[in-house]
Each structure stands twice: as structure tokens, then as C-alpha cells.
Amino acid sequence: MTLQQRYQQAAREARWALGLTIAYMIGWCVCAYLPGMSTGPLGFPLWFELSCIYLPVLFIVVAYWLIKIVYQDIELEIPPEQECTSSDSLNKEI
């Protein structure tokens, strides 16, 4: 994997992580503030069960599949032949 491909993959993973975070926050607000004061199946208030029990479990499953599908194992060490410094590019131009 070239250095450019590594940066593209890292940016792709960061976008997915940010999207998942925003979706979780929106989901939490919807689950916490929209249901009434009724009691859920576990005996807690419905808003509590939705926002603090069911939604986190759902997002754990979503995050697991996101890691399996989107994320890739990337070698963190840059091989010497792929390293490019600004002095190298200046020497090539001269």
C-alpha cells in the first residue's frame, strides 16, 4: 500500500468514525427526549431504556461491523523507499 493510499484509507476511516459518532449523538437525543414517561419492558422509564441500554448495544454491533467492513490493517512503518522529504523533492528539481 502506497503512502497516498494509506492517507486515503485513514481519511476514510476517520469520516466513518465521525459519522458514527454524530449518528450516536442524534440517536441518543431522539431516544432520550422523544419518548414519554411510560415504563419500558425492563421496568425502567422508556427513555432510559432506549437511550442507555438498547441504543448502546445497537451501536456496539454497528461499530463491530464497521470495523470488519471499512477498517483495514495498515502497516505503520514507512519503508525507506517511500519516504519523501522536502529536500529530496528540491534536489530533483535542481
Side-chain angles (χ1 to χ4, degrees), residues 27-28 30-56:
W28 191 90
V30 167
C31 289
Y33 295 112
L34 287 185
M37 292 302 295
S38 61
T39 303
L42 299 177
F44 295 109
L46 183 60
W47 65 266
F48 178 80
E49 286 187 14
L50 290 175
S51 62
C52 297
I53 297 173
Y54 303 132
L55 187 68

Side-chain angles (χ1 to χ4, degrees), residues 29-89:
C29 288
V30 167
C31 289
Y33 295 112
L34 287 185
M37 292 302 295
S38 61
T39 303
L42 299 177
F44 295 109
L46 183 60
W47 65 266
F48 178 80
E49 286 187 14
L50 290 175
S51 62
C52 297
I53 297 173
Y54 303 132
L55 187 68
V57 171
L58 172 70
F59 269 83
I60 288 171
V61 172
V62 170
Y64 173 79
W65 286 109
L66 181 75
I67 290 170
K68 288 289 188 184
I69 295 170
V70 174
Y71 284 62
Q72 293 180 1
D73 190 17
I74 297 175
E75 183 66 35
L76 296 178
E77 295 293 325
I78 300 173
E81 63 271 3
Q82 287 186 356
E83 289 182 7
C84 180
T85 61
S86 59
S87 62
D88 291 341
S89 60

